[in-house]
Structure formats: C-alpha cells, structure tokens
Amino acid sequence: MRSTILSFLLFCVAWPALAAEEARVAVASNFTGTMQQLVQRFEQQNPYHVVASYGSTGKLFAQITNGAPFDAFLSADVESPSRLEAMGLITSGSRFTYARGELVLWSPSVRSADEVLALLKSGAFRYLAMANPKTAPYGAAAEEVLTKLGLDRRYAQQTVQGDNIAQTFQFVHSGNAQLGFVARSQMLSAEATPSGAVWEIPLEMYAPIEQQAVLLKRGAENTAARAFLDFLRSKQAREIIAASGYGIAMPSLAASTLEK
C-alpha cells in the first residue's frame, strides 16, 4: 500500500514535467501537409510531441481569444498574430514570419495556364471555388485578384466559399467546382496528385500572404512549444517549407531563439 501511495505521489510531482513534453499548436489549414512533415522531423529529433489542430485563421483566432488551450499559433496572415499581440495574448518577442504563401487558380479540366485564365474570364463554368475572405487570408487574396480583373461582381451567383483553403481545394478536387483559387503548396502536395493546369497568379495582384507564428501566453513555459518554434526557424525546417511551395523568410540572428 505504501509503495502504491508513493508511486502516486511521485506521479503527481512528475505530472507538470510530463505535460510540458506536449505542445498544442493551432495551424492554418493551408499549411497542413507541410506541418505534418515538420512535426515528423521534429519528433524524430526531440523528446517532445506536437498536437496540431487545423482550421481557417479567422476561426482559430476566435478560438484562441475565447480561451482554447493552444500553446502556439501558426497563422496564415500577419494581422491575426498582431491583434493577439495587442491583446496581450502572446509571449513578448515571439512573433515571426515562417512562410510566404502563394495563390494559384486551378482547373482540372484544362491543359494550360492560359486556358485556366480564359475559363475564368469567359464564365463558362458552373462554380468557382475560393476560401471565405472574411476568415481566410487566401480568400482575401482571391477577392483582390477578382477585383483587379474586374470580375468581383460578375460571379457572385457562381462562387462557392470554403471555410478554409483546405475545403476550397476539396471543392475543386471533387469536381463540385470547375476551378478555384487554392494555395500553390496544395498543388505540390504528394497526396493531391492534381490533374489539369494552374495559372500562377502574379504576386503583384494581391497583398503578400505572410504567415506568422507566435508563442501564446498559455504556452510561455511549455518547453515543447518553445523547441518547436525554434525548430521552425531552422535551416532544415526552411528547406521543407520551401520545397512545399512557400516563399521563406531568413531569420535574423537576433531572432534565432525565443525570449526567455
């Protein structure tokens, strides 16, 4: 009986340390495939476990501000981490750009980029897919592109909106939409095996999609979360991110580790 009680007490003492071995990370859905690769590599090299939850940036932001138990946040924009910082919900000095997203227009039914653009301009399709511009940065970028092409009001009845870029991709991949604005990274995913063609949208047609990461106040003392964000800045992580179809930002020497 004594040994059982002693074991229980030792477990209670060790529990905070055990809990700190796991990091709960909220991740923008466009980064799903890349995050899975990063987590696999990180866990191979570290004694920590990462639990990722995926969703649109807007919905994840709302969950965080309502007290969701995340330690870190990988957003698809700059605005959401900036707002969290203004609200005092992130660890000082932890905000940095980990990737730069790129938008493409994809249609499985054509063979060239010129045909994709021609299809968009002709309106000869049943549905055009895009992410919700109110909650997903890639949706806001798509809206900008349509405006610059003078098509923002033309296809209101033919547009279907995904809650996030992952759902938007599925609308096109399943054939429910004949073309759609998706992330370039999704087209490079090994699991996607997309058919058809894409129009790689000139970067000047939409505001830069800078994706920023932050350590949340809730995760300030979480060793696993700190280690993962440090890993996200590493050369090997940047190589994985670049190979997945993102632009990357070179971290400054001053920002190589998180503030303690």
Side-chain angles (χ1 to χ4, degrees):
M1 182 67 176
R2 275 187 172 183
S3 61
T4 303
I5 294 173
L6 181 60
S7 297
F8 175 75
L9 291 174
L10 288 173
F11 175 80
C12 290
V13 170
W15 171 247
L18 290 171
E21 299 295 314
E22 179 176 282
R24 295 175 59 87
V25 185
V27 184
S29 61
N30 72 281
F31 205 62
T32 300
T34 309
M35 181 67 173
Q36 290 168 347
Q37 294 180 59
L38 290 167
V39 169
Q40 182 179 27
R41 182 72 61 85
F42 174 76
E43 291 184 344
Q44 286 172 351
Q45 301 174 0
N46 295 275
Y48 305 122
H49 181 53
V50 176
V51 178
S53 296
Y54 303 97
S56 71
T57 291
K59 289 192 174 181
L60 292 172
F61 174 86
Q63 290 173 18
I64 290 166
T65 56
N66 283 301
F70 294 121
D71 301 303
F73 178 32
L74 272 58
S75 174
D77 66 1
V78 173
E79 181 185 3
S80 299
S82 181
R83 288 173 64 191
L84 291 173
E85 185 172 36
M87 297 167 70
L89 294 179
I90 77 167
T91 302
S92 177
S94 70
R95 184 158 65 93
F96 67 97
T97 297
Y98 65 91
R100 292 194 175 99
E102 296 181 13
L103 187 72
V104 300
L105 182 66
W106 170 40
S107 175
S109 62
V110 301
R111 296 183 180 181
S112 71
D114 288 342
E115 288 181 77
V116 177
L117 182 57
L119 179 60
L120 175 67
K121 290 181 175 180
S122 71
F125 53 85
R126 187 177 180 187
Y127 290 117
L128 165 68
M130 61 184 284
N132 185 343
K134 293 181 179 178
T135 60
Y138 282 83
E143 196 170 59
E144 282 188 73
V145 173
L146 288 174
T147 299
K148 288 193 175 178
L149 291 172
L151 302 174
D152 50 317
R153 297 183 182 180
R154 182 172 170 183
Y155 300 136
Q157 302 303 314
Q158 292 173 263
T159 300
V160 290
Q161 293 185 358
D163 287 340
N164 50 58
I165 199 69
Q167 187 179 58
T168 304
F169 182 90
Q170 286 304 318
F171 284 156
V172 186
H173 194 258
S174 66
N176 290 318
Q178 288 66 56
L179 73 169
F181 290 99
V182 300
R184 180 172 178 266
S185 58
Q186 292 173 304
M187 304 306 297
L188 297 177
S189 168
E191 293 77 22
T193 57
S195 59
V198 300
W199 172 44
E200 295 199 5
I201 301 166
L203 297 177
E204 61 269 20
M205 292 192 72
Y206 56 93
I209 306 175
E210 285 202 37
Q211 304 196 186
Q212 291 199 335
V214 293
L215 179 67
L216 298 167
K217 276 286 180 68
R218 183 184 290 270
E221 303 303 321
N222 188 306
T223 306
R226 285 181 170 274
F228 181 74
L229 291 185
D230 275 344
F231 169 75
L232 196 58
R233 300 173 188 265
S234 70
K235 182 176 183 291
Q236 60 179 310
R238 295 199 308 273
E239 288 174 349
I240 291 171
I241 292 168
S244 297
Y246 293 94
I248 56 171
M250 298 299 289
S252 66
L253 291 176
S256 61
T257 57
L258 295 173
E259 276 189 19
K260 303 299 183 192

